[in-house]
Amino acid sequence: MARLAQTPGLTEVQQEIVSTVREFVDKEIIPVATELEHRDEYPQEIVDGLKELGLFGLMIPEEYGGLGESLLTYALCVEEIARGWMSVSGIINTHFIVAYMLKQHGTQEQKDTFLPRMAAGEVRGAFSMSEPGLGSDVSAITSKAVKDGDEYVLNGQKMWLTNGGTSTLVAVLVRSDEGHPEGTAPHRSMTTFLVEKEPGFGEVRPGLTIPGKIDKMGYKGVDTTELIMDGLRIPANRVLGGVTGRGFYQMMDGVEVGRVNVAARGCGVAQRAFELGVGYAQQRHTFGKPIAQHQAIQFKLAEMATKVEAAHAMMVNAARKKDSGERNDLEAGMAKYLASEYCKEVVEDAFRIHGGYGFSKEYEIERLYREAPMLLIGEGTAEIQKMIIGRRLLEEYRVQG
């Protein structure tokens, strides 16, 4: 393995899982990723391979057929997958967040119904908070659920669903005022519904439409969609946890582990950009020698490697904190913020090292250059991370008296 981004203190099982994933990435993802990405093609064969490896059940407890692994193991696998192609890590991440929310907050019946099939990769998860007029301002959600007998009727439009078309189970956050008097704080009147659907586009069940894929600058292959609910009827037993009004907290818990995942993606993309940059710098000659022998390029490589190492260390720290049962929103926010910013910078430096060829679609760095910006906005923008970090620091360092 490469010298950078090593993780001390892993068990033999963890080492074996991570090295198996790295081998799969090198053989099955990196050789085909750029071609599939340029065609915006869903990587079905890669997904089938990950299913065989058991990656869809990595953190699902063994009693439900999963591997019962830690957030750290999961994050290290995501880092490897993103090193190959970030879109594939997105396919896994949304599934993982829904499985995590079910494991933490679901009723026993919900866990028994979904987790075994999610572990096998038969049921694939997506989750939905954003709407056309809002992203990080979750309290402004307008989609609504109204109780009607033993069912709820959901109406509204959601936005930016990763896996929106291919998923068969969507955790949807909507406003539900039932049992919450007028004037209740917005975050106390939200509920997460577990919405089962057919994969595909168009009307995927009565009252639920997935219009089609959103055409994006990067992060292609994975389907990002809208979700339109128009009289969508959901039984009461599909309220996550069985009680309304807890959706905001459930989603924030999911996003907290999701932020570690985004940090891991940033680490993986940055590692790949460094590998491409350091490799190209030794092959390309100017003024009679490889450009790697020019001090200007060596300085770039030094900065890139340091950023790769620092981001990895912060990501590992955030995952370990969550695994130990402690609150990790500060560490997850810091890791996500640093890893995504450093990823953008490392990718840009690798792009510059490639010179004019960095602009050519024949070179892998062109794809990475379009993918890195997604990490600056996914799972909460850099600005939102800084707000979270700032507030938590003021809690920790409150002046007494």
Side-chain angles (χ1 to χ4, degrees), residues 317-333:
N317 179 52
R320 282 191 160 137
K321 191 106 189 238
K322 187 78 171 177
D323 283 333
S324 71
E326 295 177 72
R327 181 178 178 180
N328 86 329
D329 55 342
L330 177 64
E331 291 77 11

Side-chain angles (χ1 to χ4, degrees), residues 93-157:
N93 181 41
T94 48
H95 175 88
F96 150 73
I97 288 178
V98 178
Y100 174 83
M101 286 166 61
L102 271 162
K103 181 185 81 168
Q104 295 297 106
H105 307 288
T107 64
Q108 195 56 53
E109 183 270 334
Q110 289 166 354
K111 291 180 196 178
D112 293 340
T113 300
F114 294 114
L115 288 180
R117 289 187 292 148
M118 291 185 86
E122 292 163 16
V123 167
R124 296 261 288 291
F127 76 104
S128 173
M129 288 193 295
S130 298
E131 295 185 356
L134 67 98
S136 296
D137 183 11
V138 181
S139 63
I141 278 175
T142 58
S143 298
K144 201 162 181 183
V146 176
K147 188 93 190 275
D148 183 23
D150 291 334
E151 295 181 318
Y152 288 84
V153 180
L154 277 60
N155 287 287
Q157 188 175 354

Side-chain angles (χ1 to χ4, degrees), residues 258 287 371:
F287 306 104
E371 286 176 342

Side-chain angles (χ1 to χ4, degrees), residues 88-328:
V88 180
S89 64
I91 292 168
I92 298 274
N93 181 41
T94 48
H95 175 88
F96 150 73
I97 288 178
V98 178
Y100 174 83
M101 286 166 61
L102 271 162
K103 181 185 81 168
Q104 295 297 106
H105 307 288
T107 64
Q108 195 56 53
E109 183 270 334
Q110 289 166 354
K111 291 180 196 178
D112 293 340
T113 300
F114 294 114
L115 288 180
R117 289 187 292 148
M118 291 185 86
E122 292 163 16
V123 167
R124 296 261 288 291
F127 76 104
S128 173
M129 288 193 295
S130 298
E131 295 185 356
L134 67 98
S136 296
D137 183 11
V138 181
S139 63
I141 278 175
T142 58
S143 298
K144 201 162 181 183
V146 176
K147 188 93 190 275
D148 183 23
D150 291 334
E151 295 181 318
Y152 288 84
V153 180
L154 277 60
N155 287 287
Q157 188 175 354
K158 307 299 277 184
M159 193 71 180
W160 305 120
L161 257 84
T162 301
N163 270 357
T166 41
S167 59
T168 51
L169 177 66
V170 187
V172 183
L173 186 66
V174 299
R175 189 171 299 292
S176 59
D177 297 328
E178 173 226 2
H180 308 288
E182 192 98 5
T184 300
H187 61 278
R188 293 183 189 277
S189 59
M190 291 188 190
T191 299
T192 303
F193 285 89
L194 300 168
V195 178
E196 297 169 82
K197 70 173 188 66
E198 290 297 314
F201 301 100
E203 191 169 21
V204 289
R205 71 176 273 179
L208 181 66
T209 301
I210 307 288
K213 282 174 23 174
I214 296 166
D215 198 15
K216 308 181 297 284
M217 171 177 85
Y219 197 42
K220 291 175 179 282
V222 60
D223 46 298
T224 306
T225 71
E226 296 172 72
L227 178 147
I228 298 165
M229 300 173 289
D230 184 11
L232 172 64
R233 302 189 80 86
I234 302 292
N237 68 353
R238 288 295 168 257
V239 170
L240 180 62
V243 181
T244 60
R246 294 185 184 167
F248 180 82
Y249 303 103
Q250 294 163 345
M251 280 280 180
M252 290 305 108
D253 189 27
V255 166
E256 204 171 279
V257 289
R259 282 187 180 137
V260 174
N261 172 290
V262 173
R265 288 198 232 181
C267 292
V269 174
Q271 275 182 53
R272 185 61 185 159
F274 174 78
E275 289 170 11
L276 295 171
V278 77
Y280 185 81
Q282 293 170 75
Q283 292 159 10
R284 169 80 162 151
H285 286 66
T286 63
F287 306 104
K289 59 183 177 182
I291 61 172
Q293 289 179 23
H294 295 292
Q295 195 179 53
I297 300 299
Q298 286 178 14
F299 280 5
K300 272 197 197 309
L301 294 172
E303 289 168 8
M304 291 160 73
T306 303
K307 287 170 181 174
V308 166
E309 192 79 350
H312 177 83
M314 286 197 79
M315 179 272 289
V316 167
N317 179 52
R320 282 191 160 137
K321 191 106 189 238
K322 187 78 171 177
D323 283 333
S324 71
E326 295 177 72
R327 181 178 178 180
N328 86 329

